[in-house]
Amino acid sequence: MERYERHTAYARRRLRGALLALTAAGGLLLTACGAGDSGNARSEAAYDSGGRTAPLPAPDGYGGEQRGDGDSREVAPEEPDHLSTFALDVDTASYGYARRALADGQRPAPSTIRPEEFVNSFRQDYDRPDGNGFTVTLDGARTDDKDWSLVRVGLATRPAEESGDRPPAALTFVIDISGSMAEPGRLDLAKHSLSVMTDRLRDDDSVALVTFSDEAETVLPMTRLDDSRDRVHDAIDSLEPTDSTNLGAGVETGYETAVEGLRKGATNRVVLISDALANTGDTDPDTILERIATERREHGITLFGVGVGSDYGDALMERLADKGDGHTTYVSDKADAAKVFSEQLPRNIDLTARDAKAQVAFDPETVAEFRLVGYDNRRVADDDFRDDRVDGGEVGPGHTVTALYAVRTKPGADGHLATATVRWLDPDTRTPHEESGDLEAADLHDSVRSAPTRFQVTTVAAYFADALRSSDRRYGSLPGAPSLDQLSEHAEELATRTEDRDVRQLAEAIETASRLE
């Protein structure tokens, strides 16, 4: 911690000096990393006049990491900020929706690609803590680009199988039954998903059911499952698609129902299942988001967003989950539904940490530049890291959170590279806790291919996301980026080596993307 504080103070002194110099000169440059702010507002990708994403800079053009205070200007290369702060995020919907688009023969829109959600879709090999909280793991590997490495910061919660003593859950299912949900793979999949989840919940859990189309209706008030499972299943089976999508009404009624059925000592959560294509009533996302924020602050109700459908309002669902202190996933078939609502049930309804944030302090003696891959709308001002009034991320048992950095070390750098610290609040007492880990230059692997298998899976997922949102369409902008064909070969090797269904699906998605070029 002493080392961490030393580097923090050093970085801030260097930052102040750099800002004074920049202001005097007036030579401020736009950062290539995208804008981040403490309010977690999404930064939009740059577009050229033809509507395509503008080219990202080559590795040699990387600037220092953005300060995270909402200013989109970068620190001058000779005086970079050596701190990177972000709210934890366990969303995976961007990756799931990209796979669905590719399976339908379409390349996903660059605006829907969030690299951190690709990376966080895969099992990791991090050590796990014994109780609530996190372990911190750092590793890295050098790339073919001179002095550039990829550094992985891994955070892990306790195993999900140790969650048998979790508090009871009070879940309000908010189901989209609008006309667009009649398409196969939407309402039918939502009903199947709910049935699976209802069967997996415990007798002391409770559920409520709200539907919405042009209006919203509470079909089932909060009901304990000990003697009412059949009643819940009957309510689910009765769902039929009707009219347009008044998502605002659905969210509002859902939270009102959750508040009415609020259980003290339980995990109170709204589970929104929708294609998120709002077209009736209140379609202003800011108004809907404010409703969620109020219930979050006053009652601690969190949101779990489940996206369905080939035409999907990804951006709105992701913003809703962020504002609702929750996370999102995407379900494209019954296999996905079984994974999300059965295999991964504990992590999707329980909490082990609230308002979790991470801060990475790169050593200015050894690190020249760095770039956080993704987390564009989860950046937090560096000074807000220990301000527990500033919103972070909510994380459940069995989750891992991975942040990948492109890092340029100084020539001949040796010694300490970085310290990563995670800070979170106990979900019950809201007592703050911290855990840290370090990385030395000597610990970097000589190449990505010589790194551990799960590190390679992480880099393949990140390279894939980077290529999908790149204007080049064949290569990404990360250091050492392979072509899609080369990436496909690497993914196939990893799928064979790991015998992991998720890695096999990744290999298939990359192969499909390569064929679409």
Side-chain angles (χ1 to χ4, degrees), residues 190-242:
K191 292 167 66 173
H192 174 78
S193 300
L194 285 178
S195 294
V196 169
M197 193 173 196
T198 299
D199 287 337
R200 280 296 309 275
L201 291 170
R202 301 186 323 214
D203 286 347
D204 61 343
D205 294 328
S206 302
V207 300
L209 185 63
V210 172
T211 61
F212 68 94
S213 54
D214 55 338
E215 297 180 347
E217 176 186 3
T218 300
V219 176
L220 183 73
M222 194 63 71
T223 304
R224 282 178 62 100
L225 289 175
D226 47 7
D227 57 358
S228 303
R229 285 184 199 272
D230 289 343
R231 183 182 175 193
V232 174
H233 279 297
D234 288 344
I236 294 171
D237 291 342
S238 69
L239 302 181
E240 296 291 341
T242 55

Side-chain angles (χ1 to χ4, degrees), residues 27-312:
L28 297 174
L29 301 175
L30 290 176
T31 178
C33 298
D37 62 50
S38 58
N40 294 336
R42 170 165 297 284
S43 59
E44 298 295 337
Y47 285 84
D48 65 19
S49 59
R52 300 177 297 270
T53 52
L56 295 173
D60 288 343
Y62 288 165
E65 176 62 87
Q66 188 171 309
R67 295 194 304 276
D69 57 3
D71 194 333
S72 62
R73 298 167 294 182
E74 73 173 62
V75 178
E78 66 274 15
E79 296 285 355
D81 176 8
H82 284 80
L83 288 177
S84 172
T85 310
F86 60 95
L88 268 56
D89 191 346
V90 295
D91 291 355
T92 61
S94 175
Y95 172 66
Y97 185 47
R99 280 182 48 230
R100 170 65 184 264
L102 290 167
D104 289 344
Q106 300 176 352
R107 189 178 174 104
S111 62
T112 68
I113 304 300
R114 295 182 291 278
E116 71 277 14
E117 298 187 23
F118 280 57
V119 167
N120 284 321
S121 295
F122 299 93
R123 181 174 63 83
Q124 298 290 359
D125 51 3
Y126 309 138
D127 290 336
R128 300 275 185 173
D130 294 330
N132 284 349
F134 297 87
T135 56
V136 181
T137 302
L138 283 83
D139 58 2
R142 302 184 188 279
T143 72
D144 295 336
D145 289 337
K146 184 179 180 181
D147 296 328
W148 282 95
S149 298
L150 295 177
V151 170
R152 179 177 65 161
V153 177
L155 311 172
T157 58
R158 59 179 164 82
E161 54 265 23
E162 295 180 9
S163 303
D165 58 349
R166 68 169 174 81
L171 307 177
T172 302
F173 298 136
V174 179
I175 314 302
D176 186 346
I177 59 169
S178 61
S180 62
M181 292 290 286
E183 174 193 301
R186 297 195 184 200
L187 184 57
D188 58 334
L189 187 55
K191 292 167 66 173
H192 174 78
S193 300
L194 285 178
S195 294
V196 169
M197 193 173 196
T198 299
D199 287 337
R200 280 296 309 275
L201 291 170
R202 301 186 323 214
D203 286 347
D204 61 343
D205 294 328
S206 302
V207 300
L209 185 63
V210 172
T211 61
F212 68 94
S213 54
D214 55 338
E215 297 180 347
E217 176 186 3
T218 300
V219 176
L220 183 73
M222 194 63 71
T223 304
R224 282 178 62 100
L225 289 175
D226 47 7
D227 57 358
S228 303
R229 285 184 199 272
D230 289 343
R231 183 182 175 193
V232 174
H233 279 297
D234 288 344
I236 294 171
D237 291 342
S238 69
L239 302 181
E240 296 291 341
T242 55
D243 300 311
S244 51
T245 310
N246 192 337
L247 182 60
V251 170
E252 182 169 355
T253 303
Y255 272 86
E256 288 174 352
T257 302
V259 170
E260 291 173 1
L262 194 74
R263 289 180 60 180
K264 290 185 177 181
T267 300
N268 293 275
R269 175 160 288 193
V270 169
V271 181
L272 173 62
I273 304 181
S274 174
D275 57 17
L277 301 174
N279 56 24
T280 300
D282 190 354
T283 60
D284 178 13
D286 289 335
T287 305
I288 301 173
L289 292 168
E290 181 53 35
R291 173 63 178 174
I292 291 177
T294 300
E295 302 303 341
R296 172 185 62 80
R297 289 192 300 265
E298 295 182 0
H299 303 289
I301 299 172
T302 57
L303 178 69
F304 176 35
V306 182
V308 296
S310 57
D311 190 13
Y312 166 53

Side-chain angles (χ1 to χ4, degrees), residues 229-464:
R229 285 184 199 272
D230 289 343
R231 183 182 175 193
V232 174
H233 279 297
D234 288 344
I236 294 171
D237 291 342
S238 69
L239 302 181
E240 296 291 341
T242 55
D243 300 311
S244 51
T245 310
N246 192 337
L247 182 60
V251 170
E252 182 169 355
T253 303
Y255 272 86
E256 288 174 352
T257 302
V259 170
E260 291 173 1
L262 194 74
R263 289 180 60 180
K264 290 185 177 181
T267 300
N268 293 275
R269 175 160 288 193
V270 169
V271 181
L272 173 62
I273 304 181
S274 174
D275 57 17
L277 301 174
N279 56 24
T280 300
D282 190 354
T283 60
D284 178 13
D286 289 335
T287 305
I288 301 173
L289 292 168
E290 181 53 35
R291 173 63 178 174
I292 291 177
T294 300
E295 302 303 341
R296 172 185 62 80
R297 289 192 300 265
E298 295 182 0
H299 303 289
I301 299 172
T302 57
L303 178 69
F304 176 35
V306 182
V308 296
S310 57
D311 190 13
Y312 166 53
D314 166 78
L316 177 56
M317 183 70 91
E318 198 261 349
R319 288 183 65 194
L320 288 171
D322 281 352
K323 198 73 171 182
D325 278 348
H327 63 285
T328 64
T329 191
Y330 181 84
V331 172
S332 61
D333 53 33
K334 289 185 177 180
D336 284 349
K339 180 179 178 181
V340 170
F341 291 101
S342 182
E343 298 170 25
Q344 298 178 346
L345 181 63
R347 74 173 67 175
N348 290 325
I349 63 173
D350 199 6
L351 283 179
T352 59
R354 286 187 181 274
D355 287 324
K357 300 189 281 286
Q359 187 169 83
V360 183
F362 289 93
D363 195 319
E365 300 300 320
T366 55
V367 174
E369 305 174 52
F370 64 90
R371 170 190 171 191
L372 174 59
V373 180
Y375 292 93
D376 299 328
N377 67 335
R378 302 296 283 166
R379 307 294 172 91
V380 174
D382 296 334
D383 289 342
D384 287 339
F385 177 59
R386 290 190 172 88
D387 186 344
D388 297 325
R389 297 169 299 177
V390 175
D391 189 31
E394 275 56 41
V395 184
H399 272 128
T400 59
V401 179
T402 299
L404 196 69
Y405 287 86
V407 178
R408 183 170 69 85
T409 54
K410 294 182 178 180
D414 187 27
H416 179 254
L417 284 183
T419 296
T421 302
V422 58
R423 181 180 178 88
W424 72 95
L425 305 183
D426 182 275
D428 298 320
T429 67
R430 295 189 176 269
T431 302
H433 301 275
E434 290 187 10
E435 191 67 44
S436 296
D438 293 283
L439 180 66
E440 303 291 318
D443 295 329
L444 292 174
H445 296 276
D446 291 336
S447 69
V448 170
R449 290 296 188 112
S450 67
T453 298
R454 288 293 162 182
F455 181 92
Q456 294 185 49
V457 172
T458 297
T459 59
V460 167
Y463 279 137
F464 184 37

